[in-house]
Amino acid sequence: MQESPFYEHVIQRGIEQGIEQGIEQGARQMSIENTLATLEARFPGADVSTIRHRLEAIADIDQLRTVNLNASLAASFDDFQEALKT
């Protein structure tokens, strides 16, 4: 059975959207993991796992990049947590 060009286009577009979503989810997850790793390295006594759920609640990748940068610049883990609340 031969599929119509429109059907093939719809299927291809669905595949492309799925790939884009997968890439975005991977980038989000990598940013979260990098942020946690940075915090663990900078503040070894802090229990950084307590903020994982807050990081995972951030949907915007640009906001996660900013949070990651803040993890590198924060004077303390408490300061980072305060900045994360805003």
Side-chain angles (χ1 to χ4, degrees):
M1 179 172 164
Q2 185 176 5
E3 306 296 343
S4 73
F6 176 75
Y7 177 79
E8 290 177 16
H9 173 75
V10 169
I11 294 298
Q12 183 62 34
R13 184 65 190 135
I15 291 169
E16 290 170 4
Q17 286 177 341
I19 291 170
E20 288 172 12
Q21 288 174 352
I23 290 169
E24 183 177 323
Q25 285 297 329
R28 280 187 69 255
Q29 194 60 40
M30 183 59 69
S31 185
I32 291 167
E33 296 302 325
N34 287 342
T35 299
L36 293 171
T38 298
L39 291 168
E40 287 172 351
R42 292 199 62 225
F43 311 113
D47 184 9
V48 300
S49 65
T50 60
I51 63 160
R52 177 181 287 276
H53 66 279
R54 290 190 359 216
L55 295 176
E56 289 174 345
I58 301 171
D60 182 51
I61 189 68
D62 290 329
Q63 186 179 0
L64 281 171
R65 287 183 183 122
T66 300
V67 167
N68 191 295
L69 179 61
N70 289 343
S72 299
L73 301 174
S76 69
F77 184 62
D78 289 336
D79 287 349
F80 174 80
Q81 286 181 298
E82 280 300 312
L84 188 58
K85 290 179 184 177
T86 58

